[in-house]
Amino acid sequence: MQIPRVLRRSGAAHQLMPPTAGWHATWELLFACDMLAKPVMRRAVHGQLASVYEKVKSVRSYRRPLVELLFEFWMQRVERAEGGGCSGDMGFIGRRDHAPLH
């Protein structure tokens, strides 16, 4: 599957939004994708993540699963980095020019 194409496809962004069925599984797929090492993929995912978070930040039942999934993703990245397996700049979240996810 070409995930950047999926993100650009008309109407595909709704698949990442709660309460769409499978929204959480779609995010799991994106975070599990090895293509996140590519800048174009990181930008596409970050853009969608920021958009989704802006819509769910006040709805705990949606915000919490998204933040937990993101936290799990980053913990896996840290574990890989400590083992020497992390490559690429994955620090696109938490910069001052992006919305915080807490």
Side-chain angles (χ1 to χ4, degrees):
M1 173 192 300
Q2 297 257 343
I3 293 177
R5 277 192 198 163
V6 169
L7 291 175
R8 287 190 302 255
R9 210 172 48 208
S10 177
H14 81 278
Q15 296 172 0
L16 299 168
M17 295 291 233
T20 303
W23 74 274
H24 194 268
T26 304
W27 278 109
E28 287 177 336
L29 175 66
L30 288 173
F31 288 135
C33 180
D34 289 336
M35 293 176 62
L36 281 175
K38 297 179 180 182
V40 68
M41 183 60 181
R42 286 195 310 266
R43 282 191 299 273
V45 170
H46 180 262
Q48 291 299 322
L49 181 61
S51 176
V52 169
Y53 185 76
E54 194 59 35
K55 289 180 175 52
V56 303
K57 68 182 179 184
S58 63
V59 184
R60 182 183 176 123
S61 62
Y62 293 139
R63 181 189 68 234
R64 187 170 185 95
L66 182 62
V67 171
E68 286 174 352
L69 183 63
L70 186 60
F71 181 76
E72 182 180 317
F73 166 77
W74 282 110
M75 290 304 296
Q76 290 172 1
R77 296 297 299 179
V78 167
E79 289 171 9
R80 277 191 246 155
E82 289 174 353
C86 184
S87 63
D89 173 22
M90 297 302 296
F92 61 90
I93 294 182
R95 292 183 183 156
R96 289 182 179 259
D97 57 335
H98 300 298
L101 296 176
H102 54 273

